[in-house]
Amino acid sequence: MKNFINIILILLISVGSLYAQLDRSKAPHPGPAPKIEIGNYTKFELLNGLKVFVVENHRLPRVSFAISFVFEPALEKENTGIGNLASELIGTGTKTRTKDQINDEIDFISGSLNASSSGIYASSLKKHTPKLLEILSDVTINSAFNQEELDKKKNQTLSGLAANKDDPGAISENVSSALFFGKNHPYGEFETEASVKNITLDMCTQYYQNYFRPNIAYLSIVGDITPDEAKKLAEKYFGDWKKGDIKMQSYPKPEAPQANQVAIVDRPQSVQSNINIGYAVDLNLNNPDYIKARVTNTILGGGTFRLFNNLREKHAFTYGAYSNFKINPLASNFTAYANVRNAVTDSAISQIIVEMKRLREEPVPAEELTMVKNYLTGNFSLSLENPQTIASFATNIERYKLPKDFYTNYLKKIEAVTAADVQEMAKKYILPEKSTILVVGKASEIGEKLKKFSPDGKITYYDIEANPYDPNKKETPIIPQNVTAQSVLTAYIDAIGGKTKLSQINDLTMKGTMSVQGMALSVSMIYKVPGKFLTDINMNGQSVQKIVLNGESGKSSGMQGSKELKGAELEKLKAQAEIAPELKYDKLGYKTELKGSTKINGEDTYIVDITSPSNDVTTDYYSAKTGLKIRSISTSDSPMGKISQTTDIVDYTEINGVKYPKKMKQSAGPQSIDITIDSIVANSNVKDEIFQ
């Protein structure tokens, strides 16, 4: 059923086309930096050490409470994930309330209560504040974890990790953190399936008892409340919370490498490379360089600036290229990153390094510096519209021991940054010759070209858990001698229902939902033998993209206007309009070739290239165990040149003895789509008129 997999790429190209129409060749005219008054907050501390910050906002009769815990984390090693799981268990039960009771009481007051690794958040109308705080204090102080809820959270975590095992972005984030900070640093650890499976209920309970203590906690209160009211409520509901003896940890400061290091995580199926160039830096909010360094990074890649303009606008290597300083209490890091086609991986890295060096060697022009400062000023100004921002400012001032006027003078300090400051910061913090260059991609196509970035020509290979290995000794699944491209396709046809059942389908209607860049869309696809096809992608009642094929001619309409489909475009659509083209590859002029085998999410798969009469190649991955297709990778033309689309089939559903894809995840460039098929109906006597 490759037709549904391929056709959605039309939507991705349409969205990308609109994005590409924006003219970024001309910088917006810089305006004057606004004068901003930052709201006030009130601070007090309870006898048990709980620090409370109050931000009054009487526009709406609501009050929000956020509790965060600040401490230096301990290494969790083979049990990495304890802290995250323990935090997620908050709200699943207390000594006196079950999870259902907590949820029912919160729903009754139309409130909200959520917990995560970053803390606990609750909100309600002001009139319900006492009840909300009764529940919030109970789950904060008196949580009681149980095995059933832990098992649920572990299964959810394991499901996410299984998906991340083949997500280039997630792989890059994990491996880069290990390379930047080292596995013996808390920031270099990340959850694995093995570490999560190791975690027990006792571990989570012990973590909660150790770290959920008021003397390392910050309570932010924002909304329709006065400081006097807040103090009385805080003392009433949190005053009896007992202090704890928190063991302080210390770790050596991670440092950038002395020379460039090149690392690869091999994904043989990749048609794109995920590039991450970075290193650890000694930079924090309380560092006098912080604001100057932020301006410097923004010029490089903190928005649609130098890296973006070079790699996207000038060279069309990618949809976007960026950089940032990720600021953490114990250690921070710099990273520059982009997703590019395999063929231009080394060229993209070269251009990133060119821009890093240029920032060090050439003073930034006055107009560009002014534009960037205005950009930062505008973002800062917009953030002040949210009262929660003021509460976070107060917490940061306390946490990082910042000057009391740090945020009051923030814009003045941005405005004071000079071209000389930028060059000084670049020489200090932008290190093009002392970086870890990590690429997650197809090593057989990119490996040799990356050697030039390593002073000694050495490349280190890592698996997805950041363990180094010798690629010459890497095991790959063994393909039995009797396996061919045709036998793999035959096994697939059998797995989804068999040739007889598929041949009996005369028409097919599929309807589902998609999530694209935060947008919710609906999609319907209708097929009828011979060669009739209709797809309609709809958002809020308006057609985004509609394609109709009546067996001979076709047309498309939508955001890009309407047009008749002709030539290769029409022929390609005719092939995709087949309900089961795999049954007719020979008749349709397709060629198939077995390319090898690999593992996807721990599962042995066979790789088959499908080449169309127009020489378009789709690479499909079939489970050696079940015969089902679990991934498909194709390329297509777009305003940014050729882009690749990866589709993972997460789940199948069976209707009348035939299996159809039910849940899929697709990615193309920086865009991703989650697809769920809600309805599948076969042989419903679809009328020919709808294909006109």
Side-chain angles (χ1 to χ4, degrees), residues 614-647:
S614 58
N615 289 320
D616 291 323
V617 179
T618 299
T619 303
D620 291 338
Y621 297 77
Y622 299 87
S623 168
K625 181 179 180 181
T626 67
L628 293 172
K629 185 187 302 182
I630 61 177
R631 171 170 293 164
S632 183
I633 299 176
S634 59
T635 59
S636 188
D637 293 325
S638 80
M640 292 301 301
K642 286 190 176 296
I643 62 172
S644 68
Q645 172 186 265
T646 298
T647 302

Side-chain angles (χ1 to χ4, degrees), residues 3-74:
N3 35 37
F4 185 77
I5 291 173
N6 288 337
I7 202 68
I8 300 301
L9 186 58
I10 295 167
L11 175 66
L12 288 166
I13 294 173
S14 297
V15 175
S17 298
L18 287 182
Y19 185 59
Q21 290 173 11
L22 298 175
D23 183 6
R24 294 180 178 81
S25 62
K26 297 180 181 179
H29 183 71
K35 294 182 179 179
I36 296 174
E37 293 291 334
I38 296 179
N40 294 321
Y41 64 88
T42 301
K43 169 192 167 185
F44 58 86
E45 185 173 328
L46 303 187
L47 293 176
N48 58 11
L50 177 65
K51 297 176 179 63
V52 185
F53 304 93
V54 184
V55 179
E56 293 185 72
N57 187 304
H58 301 287
R59 287 181 294 180
L60 293 173
R62 294 192 67 86
V63 186
S64 299
F65 301 85
I67 301 174
S68 57
F69 299 88
V70 177
F71 58 92
E72 294 173 354

